[in-house]
Amino acid sequence: TKRPGGKKNASKELVRKLKQAKQPREVSRLLEVDQGIVDVFVVSAAVSQLRRFGKPHEVLAVFERAKASGVEPNVVVYNALISACEKGGQLEKALELFDELR
């Protein structure tokens, strides 16, 4: 039987683990082990961590997976995406995302 709030609790736990990740491959492993993208909070945590690690390609991959899973990115996710692209020298993609946000 499922407990009430089970998905919500799983999301909170995954966000906590993502925020503690020390390496990009840890973020990827967590997303694979926990069946990937659960909600916008998980996406935000994963994107933010990968941005900190300077991994714009991985950030964009998580973003695309989220959209494909039906998760609607919020302004926090877009800000992290734009920042990752800017830091990774992908200015055209950063501008494209900024236009998408508007």
Side-chain angles (χ1 to χ4, degrees):
T1 60
K2 291 188 176 187
R3 297 179 310 189
K7 187 175 181 180
K8 188 175 185 179
N9 289 336
S11 173
K12 283 183 180 180
E13 180 63 17
L14 182 52
V15 167
R16 185 187 65 72
K17 289 177 183 177
L18 286 165
K19 287 181 177 180
Q20 293 175 349
K22 303 276 190 260
Q23 298 178 349
R25 67 176 166 245
E26 215 176 318
V27 173
S28 298
R29 185 187 59 76
L30 285 167
L31 291 176
E32 294 302 321
V33 168
D34 289 312
Q35 300 302 313
I37 311 292
V38 179
D39 59 26
V40 73
F41 302 108
V42 170
V43 174
S44 180
V47 163
S48 294
Q49 277 299 80
L50 291 168
R51 178 189 56 82
R52 284 186 42 228
F53 295 132
K55 298 292 186 180
H57 295 291
E58 287 87 344
V59 168
L60 292 168
V62 169
F63 176 67
E64 293 302 326
R65 277 183 57 197
K67 286 178 28 178
S69 298
V71 175
E72 191 66 35
N74 62 14
V75 70
V76 175
V77 172
Y78 273 99
N79 284 339
L81 283 165
I82 292 167
S83 176
C85 289
E86 180 268 328
K87 287 181 181 182
Q90 297 182 7
L91 300 181
E92 295 272 333
K93 185 64 178 177
L95 290 172
E96 180 184 312
L97 289 164
F98 180 74
D99 286 341
E100 193 176 307
L101 178 60
R102 294 192 286 163

